[in-house]
Amino acid sequence: MNAWLTAAPILIPMFTAALCMVAWKYPVAQRALSLLGSLTLVIAGGSLLSTVLDQGIQVVQMGSWAAPFGITLVADPLSALMILIAALMGFCVALHALGDIDPVRERGGHHAIFQVLMTGVCGAFVTGDLFNLYVWFEVMLISSFVLLSLGGLREQIDAAIKYVCINMVATACLLLAVALLYGVTGTLNMADLSVRVPAVPSQPVISAIAVLFIIAFGMKAALFPFFFWLPASYHTPSVSVQAIFAGLLTKVGVYALIRVFTLIFTGDTAWTHGILMVMAGITMIVGVLGSLAAHDLNRAWSWQVVAHIGSMVMGLAIATPLALAAAAFYMVHDIVVKTNLFLGAGLVRRMAGGSTDYARLGGLFKSAPWLCLLLFVPLGSLAGFPPLSGFWGKLLLVRAGLDTQHYVMVGLLLLTGLLTIWLVGRVWAEMVWKAPAEPPGDTLSTMPFVRSYAVVMPLLLLSLITVSIGLQPERLLNVAGQVGESLYDTSAYVQAVLGTTPVPQPTQLGALETGTAP
Amino acid sequence: MEVIMALTVGGMVAGAVYLFLSRQYLRVMFGVILLSNAINVAILTVGRLTTGHAPLIAQGTEVMDQAAANPLPQALILTAIVIGFGLLAFALVLGYRAYQEMGTLDTGAMRVAEPEDTP
């Protein structure tokens, strides 16, 4: 039973996607299937998380091949938490898509491809094998290419060109890094790697490979030198696609960084985590400055996605149990808030007649006071106002930074927070208080009843999640605490996967180290 | 043998990087093809180079001959080739569509999603 539960996050969206493709000619059936599949995934994610928290790390060896040889699926607290939150976002976005996706995109297979994207994301979270991680990244990538260019507008094609180029280079880097690591250790299983990597005779080789991983995952996560593709592309597709991209895709990169740099590359942390620390600091500042320079709501939020990636990687770079817990907490908060912000920006765009340029916005309070109230929740949480979830995430990170005397990083984090408050104030003034440039365009009341509910309900749901995390942080804090502990001390993970407490052995396979070739 | 393979991989990667520096989308795609093939050769190399020993267990024994080829890198390369082929097919169709829409494949001239004055 537990084995099926661990594999469920991959199987459910995969079968949903297949069924959606079977129902290619019937959009109504596709909608129902997509919604049903997403809801099932939420239930599976919730029960997986509670199982992991109650009974410890869940491991499945596919095909019953013992650990280092077969394909391993692992659900540890971090994976299970990420799957649950990804499933929740998937459900909200699938619901929003009912009212948002136009018939052209629907005929192009939006629902099916969206489920494939969820398969890739969940697969990346649950896999215990580096090569499989690469494969799931590719599944995620090819579906994101299609979603990005679905609809075929000129700006979408332009954005897709840049997105495709950089991501193909990033996956090539990832594959090369995986290959080299296999060359020096002779294994691809992550738990096995964490035992064998410290036993490799020449550690500088390991450090070099670690840097390749930083580059590959840094491109995915939009860390400092590699983030330019994100503000160039994320504002172009349909609102549902923007929301799921902003919420999940970069965070899968962060998840992979956390997984690899807590489990495998733990030797020369002064070097690897030092690089991550510098990148995180610059990412925060560059992201928030970019968002202040933008004069378009969608672009500002795209830059904010970059800025907050820096905060999570800062938690990883400090690498104490508290800091890792803070990174996990922050990631959950950020996924919810970013999805919510992009969905909200989509509604605002609908009302402002198809543009989110600040010049076209204004007078939202007059035309839709309740929507303003709803939008205030993610905005306030982004800025870190006290009762909302963003405040607790920042508080944990500041605490972790002060404990380890990283005063510069804490200063940068607080400065980023301050500049974000500035941004939120500016957006609020432009969007809500300013006199409108022209009478409002398409309002919700002109939409069909069911569609308008489908569009607004996800915002309400996400805002409720944000508020409930903010008012009752203990529950998520407990889970995040367990995540931090399990990431800091990975012996339970290794033991769960390999079955026994393994003894470090010198490498046996591979030409780089031993030269066994005849 | 390893040295020759390593130099080959290095040369291919250098060529790929040279092609990436071009502003023409098609040349960047050629660079992607070259890079993915370079990586496939790298996987083959790191997984031990052998000649003439199939990875089969001889009759009567239970373990493989020490000099046998390592089958795992070949499985990995096969997967990587298939994935790379799929991505490349999509990327080329995307390039064709972009040429239809914008009349150019010069990535520097494509300023639709990011006009000149945006930060």
Side-chain angles (χ1 to χ4, degrees):
Chain A
M1 182 60 208
N2 282 352
W4 284 106
L5 196 58
T6 313
I10 297 175
L11 295 178
I12 292 171
M14 199 187 263
F15 278 113
T16 312
L19 288 174
C20 282
M21 285 182 192
V22 169
W24 191 263
K25 288 187 177 165
Y26 309 98
V28 179
Q30 284 191 41
R31 292 177 187 185
L33 282 168
S34 179
L35 204 59
L36 197 68
S38 307
L39 191 62
T40 322
L41 186 60
V42 173
I43 297 167
S47 47
L48 180 63
L49 181 61
S50 69
T51 313
V52 168
L53 293 181
D54 287 347
Q55 301 169 19
I57 296 169
Q58 299 292 317
V59 180
V60 192
Q61 314 287 358
M62 303 312 278
S64 299
W65 283 86
F69 305 109
I71 291 172
T72 312
L73 299 183
V74 192
D76 75 332
L78 178 65
S79 306
L81 180 64
M82 295 304 291
I83 284 167
L84 175 60
I85 206 76
L88 275 170
M89 295 310 111
F91 176 70
C92 288
V93 171
L95 188 61
H96 188 86
L98 299 187
D100 170 59
I101 296 297
D102 52 83
V104 176
R105 289 186 167 113
E106 207 156 41
R107 273 202 301 278
H110 170 89
H111 297 298
I113 308 292
F114 175 72
Q115 293 295 331
V116 177
L117 182 80
M118 292 305 291
T119 315
V121 169
C122 290
F125 286 149
V126 87
T127 183
D129 180 295
L130 268 185
F131 193 79
N132 277 292
L133 185 67
Y134 160 76
V135 173
W136 290 121
F137 264 111
E138 295 286 351
V139 170
M140 196 173 88
L141 201 61
I142 191 101
S143 49
S144 71
F145 289 172
V146 178
L147 284 178
L148 187 62
S149 50
L150 199 65
L153 302 176
R154 279 182 76 196
E155 56 170 11
Q156 279 187 296
I157 303 270
D158 180 15
I161 289 260
K162 282 143 198 175
Y163 183 82
V164 166
C165 286
I166 188 102
N167 274 297
M168 285 176 92
V169 177
T171 48
C173 280
L174 176 58
L175 185 59
L176 184 63
V178 171
L180 292 180
L181 197 58
Y182 175 73
V184 291
T185 57
T187 182
L188 287 165
N189 187 298
M190 291 201 261
D192 200 25
L193 275 171
S194 86
V195 181
R196 289 202 193 193
V197 161
V200 170
S202 62
Q203 287 294 315
V205 175
I206 295 294
S207 294
I209 295 171
V211 171
L212 256 182
F213 272 105
I214 292 182
I215 294 172
F217 291 144
M219 282 192 199
K220 300 278 178 209
L223 270 176
F224 159 62
F226 314 115
F227 63 86
F228 293 97
W229 55 271
L230 195 151
S233 59
Y234 269 24
H235 60 279
T236 56
S238 65
V239 177
S240 308
V241 175
Q242 282 175 15
I244 202 73
F245 277 20
L248 287 183
L249 290 200
T250 47
K251 277 70 175 186
V252 181
V254 177
Y255 165 85
L257 273 177
I258 292 180
R259 177 62 74 217
V260 167
F261 282 92
T262 53
L263 191 62
I264 300 173
F265 301 111
T266 49
D268 193 1
T269 47
W271 168 241
T272 53
H273 292 219
I275 295 177
L276 284 173
M277 187 85 80
V278 173
M279 288 168 88
I282 305 176
T283 308
M284 284 195 273
I285 289 300
V286 168
V288 79
L289 289 181
S291 71
L292 278 170
H295 47 74
D296 180 294
L297 201 53
N298 271 335
R299 273 178 212 278
W301 293 158
S302 299
W303 281 101
Q304 278 291 320
V305 173
V306 176
H308 289 89
I309 293 295
S311 315
M312 292 164 227
V313 176
M314 173 187 160
L316 167 65
I318 294 173
T320 57
L322 179 63
L324 292 168
F329 189 101
Y330 205 93
M331 192 140 62
V332 171
H333 141 74
D334 196 61
I335 289 174
V336 177
V337 166
K338 290 284 149 57
T339 311
N340 204 350
L341 282 175
F342 272 85
L343 291 180
L347 279 190
V348 171
R349 177 163 74 176
R350 207 181 273 274
M351 296 192 163
S355 166
T356 47
D357 199 300
Y358 288 165
R360 302 274 300 265
L361 300 179
L364 194 65
F365 196 77
K366 226 169 213 171
S367 53
W370 289 105
L371 183 64
C372 286
L373 195 65
L374 207 54
L375 289 180
F376 184 77
V377 174
L379 278 166
S381 187
L382 182 76
F385 293 152
L388 296 165
S389 62
F391 170 72
W392 299 106
K394 283 206 174 62
L395 187 70
L396 280 176
L397 270 177
V398 168
R399 175 79 192 277
L402 288 180
D403 283 353
T404 48
Q405 276 124 34
H406 288 101
Y407 298 120
V408 177
M409 291 303 288
V410 172
L412 284 177
L413 182 70
L414 293 177
L415 181 65
T416 308
L418 202 64
L419 291 175
T420 307
I421 293 176
W422 184 7
L423 173 76
V424 165
R426 184 177 166 195
V427 165
W428 194 253
E430 294 275 5
M431 185 173 77
V432 178
W433 285 339
K434 197 177 69 180
E438 51 198 278
D442 181 23
T443 54
L444 288 178
S445 51
T446 61
M447 289 177 77
F449 182 74
V450 179
R451 278 172 85 97
S452 68
Y453 265 78
V455 169
V456 177
M457 280 313 280
L459 277 119
L460 193 63
L461 205 61
L462 291 168
S463 295
L464 278 178
I465 297 175
T466 304
V467 171
S468 62
I469 292 175
L471 294 181
Q472 272 204 322
E474 307 90 16
R475 300 184 71 173
L476 183 57
L477 274 176
N478 282 338
V479 179
Q482 288 201 34
V483 171
E485 291 294 335
S486 73
L487 289 177
Y488 187 71
D489 180 15
T490 50
S491 56
Y493 183 99
V494 174
Q495 197 174 358
V497 175
L498 295 183
T500 51
T501 315
V503 186
Q505 285 177 342
T507 52
Q508 291 168 345
L509 284 167
L512 273 182
E513 284 302 322
T514 49
T516 49
Chain B
M1 192 62 191
E2 276 82 10
V3 177
I4 301 171
M5 293 295 265
L7 287 175
T8 313
V9 171
M12 287 168 86
V13 171
V17 170
Y18 175 74
L19 285 168
F20 285 148
L21 297 179
S22 169
R23 291 170 70 170
Q24 287 294 328
Y25 181 71
L26 210 54
R27 287 197 188 175
V28 176
M29 280 304 117
F30 288 148
V32 168
I33 300 173
L34 200 55
L35 184 64
S36 58
N37 282 319
I39 292 167
N40 290 340
V41 176
I43 301 177
L44 195 66
T45 313
V46 298
R48 193 171 54 187
L49 293 168
T50 53
T51 44
H53 290 272
L56 299 172
I57 300 170
Q59 202 167 18
T61 55
E62 289 197 332
V63 287
M64 234 186 274
D65 184 9
Q66 267 298 306
N70 184 353
L72 186 65
Q74 300 176 16
L76 301 186
I77 292 170
L78 188 61
T79 315
I81 288 175
V82 172
I83 291 174
F85 184 73
L87 286 183
L88 189 71
F90 181 85
L92 289 177
V93 173
L94 182 70
Y96 180 63
R97 276 285 286 151
Y99 187 72
Q100 281 184 327
E101 290 281 336
M102 285 176 270
T104 177
L105 277 178
D106 183 348
T107 45
M110 297 178 185
R111 301 299 304 234
V112 187
E114 267 193 318
E116 298 283 348
D117 60 332
T118 47

